Amino acid sequence: MSALHGFLGFTLRRTLGAVVTLLAISVIVYVVFYAAPGDVAQITCGQRCSPAQVRQVTEQLRLDDPLYVRYLHFLQGLFTGHDYSTGTSVEHCPAPCLGLSYQSDQQVMQLILAKLPVTGSLALGAMVLWLLLGVGTGVLAAWRRGRLEERILTGVTLAGWATPVFVIGLLLMIVVCGQLQLLPFPQYVPFTEDPEQWAWNLLLPWLSLALIEAAKYARLTRSAMLETLAEDHVRTFRAYGVGERKIVGRHALRGAVGPLIALNANDLGSLFGGAVLTESLFGLPGIGRELVHAVNVVDLPVVVGMVLLTGFFVVLANAVADVLFAVADRRTVLS
């Protein structure tokens, strides 16, 4: 019972910490984008807006009010929503309201939700592959330490770490799609329409991301396992005749779980915020590609919404990782 209370207390502390962090991120983002020098209303509305439309944006965002009042108005929209006047009618933006894109006349949250399945499919599929490839390679390198296999695997992971994702993506498309014609050029198909085509069309983007990220996981797994294999209790297992395969699989790999959870949380959270290069390279209509478009046309509400979304996913992923790490290592709850 005391262990359960300790775990619940740990989870509550991590949840409160995540909420405080998200509030801090919202303050920083709002100040950076909406308190910067320049005509914020004109930038938000777009260069083609008339003076009357710019004035309407100023009133809706309360840009004439003090900064803290403007921020509280912005924060209110995240929890209760906002009403926006489109000239002839009033449009309600339900919570969490990230604002209205005056250039596309779309609610930012609706725009993000329309792109989220694409980025989510890319992130989750790539995560599965980079964990399988990276952890498997790291375990093999640690098991065959000091031998030719380890040197080869170390060289391959270094090459993967140093290669940009767009280089690997282009090579895969040229070889796999162009020369060998094993796969079609990627074109996103929703999972609900055709799961098989969904997977086939995302295989190359998954591999492009996974081959880059797997190098980090392989190096981290190898170093963590070698550190564990050098500890006294492992030497005791060997002295009692425990097999090397059992030591590596059951005991050494357990020492790498914590660092792997933390690294995976950061990578997955950032990737959910938008894999800009991968989505642009393969023409996937996800959050990253939408962010590039918003920056190019200076669509400020969309840019702010995307930045907040990235922060949310990174904080959420790290909070979940802390809880999972506490489940894997109970000593974390007591620290």
Side-chain angles (χ1 to χ4, degrees), residues 95-232:
C97 180
L98 293 174
L100 179 71
S101 171
Y102 294 92
Q103 298 191 32
S104 62
D105 198 23
Q106 283 184 280
Q107 295 179 18
V108 175
M109 180 55 72
Q110 291 181 353
L111 192 150
I112 290 175
L113 291 177
K115 307 294 182 180
L116 191 58
V118 181
T119 302
S121 300
L122 176 64
L124 294 177
M127 181 194 71
V128 173
L129 285 181
W130 77 49
L131 285 175
L132 291 174
L133 294 173
V135 175
T137 302
V139 170
L140 184 59
W143 185 28
R144 308 296 290 179
R145 60 191 181 279
R147 303 183 184 182
L148 178 62
E149 295 95 322
E150 183 199 13
R151 297 189 182 94
I152 294 175
L153 292 173
T154 302
V156 171
T157 54
L158 283 174
W161 173 252
T163 307
V165 65
F166 62 86
V167 173
I168 290 182
L170 283 174
L171 288 176
L172 286 175
M173 281 197 294
I174 292 173
V175 175
V176 177
C177 300
Q179 296 181 351
L180 301 179
Q181 297 183 354
L182 296 177
L183 291 173
F185 286 96
Q187 183 177 1
Y188 182 74
V189 177
F191 179 82
T192 53
E193 291 184 8
D194 192 335
E196 183 178 354
Q197 288 301 316
W198 169 83
W200 278 116
N201 280 276
L202 284 174
L203 184 57
L204 286 187
W206 286 343
L207 282 173
S208 300
L209 279 174
L211 291 175
I212 298 292
E213 297 294 332
K216 294 190 296 184
Y217 290 85
R219 292 172 60 81
L220 179 62
T221 304
R222 174 184 173 276
S223 61
M225 290 185 63
L226 289 179
E227 184 178 347
T228 304
L229 289 172
E231 294 179 355
D232 293 337

Side-chain angles (χ1 to χ4, degrees), residues 256-285:
V257 169
L260 286 173
I261 290 176
L263 178 61
N264 191 62
N266 280 319
D267 288 341
L268 185 61
S270 301
L271 194 57
F272 258 110
V276 176
L277 287 177
T278 307
E279 291 180 359
S280 299
L281 176 64
F282 291 101
L284 300 176

